Amino acid sequence: MRRKLAAGNWKMNGTSDALAQLDALRKAHPTPGVDMLICPPATLISAAVVTAADHALAIGGQDCHMNETGAHTGDISAAMLKDAGASHVLTGHSERRTDHGESDEMIRNKTKAAHAQGLIAVVCIGETLKEREAANTLDIIAGQLAGSLPDVLTAENTVIAYEPVWAIGTGKVPTMNQIGEVHDYIRTKLEQRYGAGVGTSIRILYGGSVKGSNADEIFAVSNVDGALVGGASLRVEDFSPIITALENA
Ligand code: PGA
């Protein structure tokens, strides 16, 4: 059985007053029936870890550098995230791929760096609208999986997030058939590459305009093991119904 995961990505949102949202979140779900993760901006990680202490709420980074130390101004290493108390890190989010020109190879190396520090990597993949309209979605997904994932991983240290780029922050959501097609395809690819044990056990999240109002139908799709949520993770009143929907799925 794959344990479900409700993950929030705050992106470049939140200063210290946002910690009140984390506190409210843990109080709203004192004993959650699913795993919960929030990835706040790096400046809030240490404080968020304190706020989430003694609760199942995990705290993660949004990116890490592939090297452990060095002359990389503005970057943060997986070791630093670990030291700050993070347990997870997103790698390959489409905004990193676009804004910072991250390639599959870089993402694979970042994922390896995360694993080397004992962090759980949430590796993000997804097609653009142009790629979907050209009927290239599955090829793009196959290429990103092949390039962004290391040859050695476990179901414990790796989560996949399928996020169609055109669904992120747009309010547009694929049909449930489209989500199911890609999630089933990812599952098959993982089983082929990592064997039935690991490939069957890795969790696959859906991300892109998940809200309380569409969470039930998304979580009913096969091989959807949770969600990576952007905008709707910023406030408890928006994120909490998504967590509840996942608990009931
Ligand atoms: P969204 O973002 O929920 O605001 O669409 C999802 C993501 O980028 O992880």
Side-chain angles (χ1 to χ4, degrees), residues 131-165:
E131 289 160 347
R132 176 160 285 277
E133 285 174 349
N136 282 335
T137 297
L138 297 183
D139 286 346
I140 293 294
I141 294 299
Q144 290 178 339
L145 283 173
S148 305
L149 293 179
D151 285 334
V152 179
L153 52 71
T154 69
E156 287 73 41
N157 71 13
T158 307
V159 175
I160 309 295
Y162 167 57
E163 302 201 296
V165 178

Side-chain angles (χ1 to χ4, degrees), residues 9 11 93 95 163 167-169 208-210 228-231:
N9 170 15
K11 309 191 180 187
H93 190 281
E95 286 149 19
E163 302 201 296
I168 294 176
S209 297
V210 177
L228 179 55
V229 183

Side-chain angles (χ1 to χ4, degrees), residues 176 214-224 245 249:
M176 298 308 120
N214 59 23
D216 282 332
E217 58 173 346
I218 292 171
F219 295 149
V221 176
S222 79
N223 280 309
V224 173

